[in-house]
Amino acid sequence: MATTSTKEPEIITDKIQMRKWSRAMRSQGKSIGLVPTMGYLHEGHLSLIKESRKRSNVTVVSIYVNPGQFSPSEDLSTYPSDFHGDLLKLMALPGGVDVVFHPRDLYDYNNKNLNKDMIDEKGGGVDSCLEERRAGHETWVRVEKLEKGLCGKSRPVFFRGVATVVAKLFNIVDPDFAVFGKKDYQQFRILQRMVRDLDFSIEVIGSEIKRDSDGLALSSRNVHLSPEEREKALSINRSLFRAKSNVEKGQVNCKELRVTVIQAISEAGGRIDYAEIVDQESLEAVEEIKSPVVFCIAAWFGKVRLVDNMEIDV
C-alpha cells in the first residue's frame, strides 16, 4: 500500500512522541504496521518489514534490546548491536520505513524516591536482568500454558519478558498489524494468544522463516558462530527437512522422528536443548501426527543457542 521510494526514517526515542505520531497517522486515516526487533537487522527482519508494508499505509520498526526477557546468566551484555548499520539497511530497503522507534529505556519510570529495599521483599531472588537492575517494574504479562514448554523450560523468564514488552509496544505505537517471524514459533503463538485474550485490536502476522543460501535460519546470534560451528549447525535445518519428507512418506510416529533428528544433530556436534513435535495451536506434544504440527528444535553449537522449526501440515 505504501510507495516504493527510498526514504530516511524518522527516529523517535520518546514514548510520548511515539504516541503523538501514531495518533496523527490515525487522524489521517492511515493504518499502522509494527515490526518489533532487538536490532542487528538481517534479511529476516527486512522480510518482516516488507510484509508489514503490504498490509499497512505506514510502518514502524522498533529497535530495543529488552532486559526483561534475559536472565542474569544469559547474553544480554553481548547481544549484537549496530544501530547505524541498521539505519543504513532500512534506508536501502525499497520504500524504507516511516519511523524507527528506538527508546533508551522502556522501564524508566523516573522513580527517584524508589526504596530499593522494598523490591524482591518476598525473597524470591532476581528473575531477569530488569529485576537485577531494580527498576521498580512490577507488572508482567504471562500466557500461562503456552509459555511452559519448549523454550520456556530452559528460559523460564523469557516469555514473560517478551509478552510484557510487546504489550508495552502495542500500547505505545497502537498498530493495526504486528509482524513476527515464525522462526521463534512459540513466541509467535504466545503473542497471538495474548492479543486474543486481552482484546488488543491488532492482527498478529506470522511471517515464514527466512533462511540463508545454505539453509541456516537467519538469526542475529549467527554472528557468534565460528565457520566450523556454522557448518555443523546446518544439521538442524537438514534434519528438519528430512523429517518433513519422512512424514509425507507416511512416517507419523513422533518418537521415531524425534530420535532420528536428535541423533543427526548430536552427531554433528550439537547439544540438544529440546526437539519436540507439537500441535501448531496448543503447542502440546503429540505422539502421532494426525493434524497440523510443528517440529521445534533448540540446540547449542559452541556458546550459541539456535532455534528452528518446521511446520508439517497433514
Side-chain angles (χ1 to χ4, degrees):
M1 298 173 68
T3 60
T4 57
S5 59
T6 301
K7 59 186 175 185
E8 185 173 350
E10 180 177 352
I11 300 172
I12 298 177
T13 60
D14 180 73
K15 290 185 282 188
I16 295 175
Q17 291 303 315
M18 185 68 249
R19 287 193 179 100
K20 286 182 178 179
W21 183 91
S22 293
R23 288 169 182 168
M25 293 302 105
R26 291 206 172 280
S27 70
Q28 299 172 33
K30 293 182 178 180
S31 59
I32 302 171
L34 171 64
V35 180
T37 81
M38 294 207 300
Y40 211 72
L41 304 181
H42 51 64
E43 285 296 327
H45 296 111
L46 301 184
S47 71
L48 305 183
I49 295 168
K50 293 174 184 176
E51 186 65 31
S52 174
R53 287 175 48 78
K54 291 178 186 177
R55 298 171 181 268
S56 55
N57 298 114
V58 293
T59 290
V60 177
V61 173
S62 64
I63 297 179
Y64 179 67
V65 180
N66 172 37
Q69 69 193 58
F70 291 83
S71 74
S73 63
E74 292 179 324
D75 59 349
L76 173 63
S77 63
T78 60
Y79 195 86
S81 176
D82 181 10
F83 184 66
H84 178 68
D86 289 343
L87 290 180
L88 293 178
K89 291 173 184 176
L90 293 174
M91 290 172 62
L93 189 68
V97 300
D98 298 275
V99 164
V100 172
F101 180 44
H102 184 48
R104 185 186 67 83
D105 186 355
L106 284 177
Y107 302 94
D108 182 1
Y109 307 118
N110 295 317
N111 292 327
K112 296 179 181 179
N113 297 318
L114 179 67
N115 183 352
K116 295 185 178 182
D117 292 334
M118 296 296 293
I119 303 174
D120 297 331
E121 62 182 3
K122 294 182 180 180
V126 173
D127 292 321
S128 73
C129 291
L130 181 62
E131 285 144 306
E132 184 181 52
R133 203 176 72 193
R134 292 176 175 259
H137 183 85
E138 297 183 44
T139 306
W140 299 97
V141 179
R142 306 203 74 146
V143 183
E144 293 184 353
K145 289 187 178 180
L146 292 186
E147 73 172 32
K148 287 183 178 178
L150 303 175
C151 286
K153 290 182 179 179
S154 60
R155 305 188 71 189
V157 305
F158 178 69
F159 290 117
R160 180 193 73 164
V162 169
T164 300
V165 78
V166 171
K168 287 168 73 70
L169 289 170
F170 284 175
N171 283 328
I172 295 166
V173 179
D174 191 22
D176 298 280
F177 307 95
V179 187
F180 298 89
K182 286 187 178 180
K183 181 181 73 69
D184 300 297
Y185 197 88
Q186 186 177 14
Q187 171 179 282
F188 159 60
R189 290 301 188 190
I190 282 173
L191 295 174
Q192 270 194 332
R193 188 66 56 86
M194 178 189 79
V195 163
R196 186 201 73 176
D197 290 355
L198 298 183
D199 290 310
F200 281 100
S201 183
I202 299 167
E203 182 178 354
V204 173
I205 310 298
S207 187
E208 299 303 319
I209 297 173
K210 188 77 172 177
R211 299 184 181 278
D212 216 332
S213 58
D214 57 9
L216 187 67
L218 293 180
S219 169
S220 298
R221 289 185 171 92
N222 290 353
V223 69
H224 294 309
L225 292 168
S226 69
E228 182 182 5
E229 289 166 347
R230 182 187 173 88
E231 181 63 31
K232 292 178 178 179
L234 297 178
S235 60
I236 299 177
N237 173 60
R238 290 168 180 167
S239 61
L240 281 172
F241 272 100
R242 195 174 303 118
K244 183 176 182 178
S245 176
N246 289 338
V247 173
E248 291 169 348
K249 294 175 182 177
Q251 185 178 1
V252 295
N253 183 286
C254 292
K255 182 178 180 180
E256 294 174 358
L257 291 164
R258 290 177 62 248
V259 167
T260 301
V261 167
I262 291 171
Q263 181 178 352
I265 295 173
S266 299
E267 289 179 351
R271 178 164 54 89
I272 295 289
D273 184 351
Y274 63 79
E276 300 287 347
I277 300 173
V278 300
D279 179 85
Q280 289 185 12
E281 295 286 340
S282 69
L283 301 185
E284 293 181 355
V286 299
E287 295 181 358
E288 187 173 295
I289 299 175
K290 300 177 180 178
S291 59
V293 298
V294 57
F295 199 148
C296 297
I297 291 176
W300 291 87
F301 286 85
K303 296 182 179 180
V304 183
R305 182 178 180 274
L306 301 176
V307 296
D308 201 347
N309 67 79
M310 184 72 65
E311 287 182 313
I312 303 174
D313 299 307
V314 295

